Every structure is written in structure tokens, then in C-alpha cells.
Amino acid sequence: MRARVLSAARGFLGTPYRHQGSRAGVGCDCLGLVRGVWREVYGAEPERPGPYSTDWAETGAGDPMMEAARRYFHPVERASAAPGDLVLFRWRPGRPAQHCGILDESAGPSLRLIHAYEGASVVSSPLTPGWAGRIAGFFQFIERS
């Protein structure tokens, strides 16, 4: 499953950043990347996020991205995380998760992250200590029959 997810995520590399988008080659944001990978791996999405603003996590209640990850993915311990796993990030402790990406394979000593980079495109960038310090959780796409 991880290999299928990683292949689908790599198909989004170079896709322009587009808020609320979820189509490879057309445009996506970080959530749209995960939604697009889900559709490629499983088919129809289990739910749609509905419209959301760029500051939704700052103004809303709860932790909707984390809650959705817990509903549809299997939590993975940091030590067991591997390429093809979903990663959620919090910008500040105690705040909702508001960024996500897919772990990519290493290129040297550290893992990489495939994510939609606001103002640019979907990239595979190093999972630097600055990013790693903001990780809120790792999740694995579940094998479905």
C-alpha cells in the first residue's frame, strides 16, 4: 500500500498550488494532495471537506484535519513511519493540525516530504528539523479489500 500511495503522490510533483484544488497537473493544496492520492488509491473520497478558508484552522473549533486522519487512516508511531505515510503538522503546540504531506524516500541522511508548497507547487523537500519539530502525527493508508 505504501508503494501505491508514494507512486500516486509523486504523480502530483510539479502540480501548481491552488487553494482547495485536488487534481494532479491542474492544482492542489496540501489537503487536496491527500484527497487526490486517496482517489487514485481507493476511488471515491469517503467525505468532502466542504469549502474552507486559508485560515480555517486558526478560526474554527476542534482539530478537523487530525479528526479526519483518525477516522480514515491507521496511526503510526514515529519510529515506524515510512515513505508513503501521511504526516500532519501543527505550527504551534496546542493548535490544530493545518498542514499535511506524504513521506517520500530518503535522499541522503534524512527523509523527504511530498507536499503542496503555498505560492509554488507540489514538491519533495527535505524533512528538516524545523519541519520535524512540528509533526503532529503519522498515519498509514489502510489496505482495503
Side-chain angles (χ1 to χ4, degrees), residues 43-142:
E45 297 172 57
E47 67 181 73
R48 300 281 313 251
Y52 53 92
S53 66
T54 55
D55 66 348
W56 63 269
E58 297 296 324
T59 58
D63 197 349
M65 191 179 286
M66 183 65 74
E67 292 161 7
R70 288 180 177 141
R71 277 193 303 276
Y72 299 110
F73 298 84
H74 179 73
V76 176
E77 294 296 323
R78 182 181 289 258
S80 299
D85 287 345
L86 171 66
V87 188
L88 271 54
F89 298 88
R90 297 184 198 287
W91 298 136
R92 292 188 306 267
R95 300 297 299 156
Q98 63 185 107
H99 188 64
C100 57
I102 306 289
L103 280 181
D104 197 359
E105 292 179 348
S106 326
S110 66
L111 286 172
R112 298 180 67 82
L113 177 71
I114 298 172
H115 62 127
Y117 201 84
E118 189 172 357
S121 65
V122 176
V123 297
S124 176
S125 59
L127 188 58
T128 63
W131 278 103
R134 291 179 168 87
I135 292 173
F138 294 96
F139 297 86
Q140 188 175 9
F141 283 73
I142 299 168

Side-chain angles (χ1 to χ4, degrees), residues 4 8 12 20-24 26-28 31-49 73 141:
R4 288 175 54 205
F12 275 80
Q20 295 187 22
S22 65
R23 293 182 53 205
V26 175
C28 71
L31 180 57
L33 168 65
V34 175
R35 291 176 57 217
V37 167
W38 180 285
R39 286 193 308 269
E40 186 168 328
V41 171
Y42 299 125
E45 297 172 57
E47 67 181 73
R48 300 281 313 251
F73 298 84
F141 283 73

